[in-house]
């Protein structure tokens, strides 16, 4: 042991929460895999399953994961190049998008699951278009679930920091 080694900051052990609902204010607990804290650098541990580059964004795929006590969907994170600073890719949200024939069924199941956990959401409905926007806020985190009924039915779930 050298003289200066006494002054080095010891790495704090990472505490992984066991309740994904309580952990939502701090990050996302992928129940079948790992915990990812809001604001951390996605590239640090490379826990994503796939990375795609687009001209204006990088898309990180988390694959089929279970969150919030049993909600299982295919999640990804989009990092817009113009919003990221200092070259790091900050973990600020996850989302799920489906435009297939099962979109309405996925929306209803996800809605029921989120209401069971967080209670009734703030609701905005465009009756003319058939669009529905649901929103929950938990501390600095916003959960939005949308159903669009235009040319094709589409469901979009986004969970992330509300800034």
């Amino acid at each position: 042991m050298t003289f200066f080694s006494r002054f080095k900051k010891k790495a704090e052990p990472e505490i992984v929460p066991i309740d994904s609902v309580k952990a939502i204010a701090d990050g996302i607990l992928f129940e079948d895999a790992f915990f990812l804290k809001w604001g951390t650098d996605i590239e640090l541990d490379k826990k994503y399953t796939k990375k795609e580059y687009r001209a204006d964004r990088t898309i990180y795929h988390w694959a089929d994961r279970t969150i919030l006590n049993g909600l299982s969907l295919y999640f990804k994170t989009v990092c817009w190049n113009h919003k990221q600073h200092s070259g790091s890719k900050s973990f600020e949200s996850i989302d799920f998008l489906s435009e297939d024939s099962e979109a309405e069924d996925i929306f209803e199941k996800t809605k029921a699951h989120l209401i069971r956990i967080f209670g009734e959401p703030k609701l905005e409905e465009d009756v003319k278009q058939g669009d529905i926007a649901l929103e929950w806020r938990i501390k600095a985190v916003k959960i939005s679930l949308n159903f669009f009924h235009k040319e094709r039915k589409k469901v979009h779930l986004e969970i992330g920091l509300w800034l």
Side-chain angles (χ1 to χ4, degrees):
M1 176 150 103
T2 67
F3 177 75
F4 290 107
S5 64
R6 294 180 203 164
F7 300 108
K8 287 185 180 177
K9 186 176 179 181
K10 297 188 181 189
E12 294 179 25
E14 183 179 348
I15 299 171
V16 178
I18 56 172
D19 185 339
S20 60
V21 173
K22 290 179 182 175
I24 195 75
D26 298 317
I28 292 290
L29 176 61
F30 293 106
E31 294 166 354
D32 51 349
F34 52 87
F35 175 71
L36 197 55
K37 191 171 177 71
W38 297 123
T40 59
D41 186 351
I42 294 174
E43 291 289 343
L44 195 62
D45 293 330
K46 299 188 184 322
K47 293 181 177 179
Y48 52 85
T49 59
K50 179 180 163 188
K51 178 168 58 170
E52 283 182 71
Y53 293 101
R54 298 283 193 265
D56 58 349
R57 63 193 174 276
T58 305
I59 304 168
Y60 295 92
H61 294 263
W62 304 107
D64 282 315
R65 298 285 183 201
T66 303
I67 64 168
L68 299 174
N69 294 344
L71 181 61
S72 184
L73 298 168
Y74 187 96
F75 291 103
K76 60 186 175 188
T77 295
V78 177
C79 291
W80 296 93
N81 294 340
H82 69 282
K83 291 184 178 180
Q84 299 291 318
H85 304 287
S86 72
S88 69
K89 301 294 184 185
S90 178
F91 178 65
E92 296 176 6
S93 69
I94 61 168
D95 72 307
F96 165 79
L97 176 67
S98 177
E99 296 183 35
D100 63 16
S101 60
E102 298 177 12
E104 193 167 4
D105 187 44
I106 294 168
F107 173 80
E108 290 300 329
K109 287 180 182 176
T110 304
K111 174 182 154 186
H113 185 87
L114 293 173
I115 288 173
R116 193 169 43 255
I117 293 172
F118 299 113
E120 289 299 318
K122 177 182 168 192
L123 167 69
E124 291 181 24
E125 189 171 4
D126 182 349
V127 179
K128 185 177 175 186
Q129 294 290 330
D131 296 345
I132 302 170
L134 306 176
E135 185 177 290
W136 294 263
R137 294 207 179 144
I138 298 90
K139 296 188 180 181
V141 175
K142 180 171 82 170
I143 301 171
S144 60
L145 178 63
N146 299 291
F147 182 71
F148 304 102
H149 193 291
K150 296 194 175 154
E151 301 89 41
R152 294 173 24 183
K153 293 178 181 178
K154 179 167 50 172
V155 61
H156 181 241
L157 171 66
E158 183 174 21
I159 303 171
L161 293 175
W162 177 59
L163 303 172

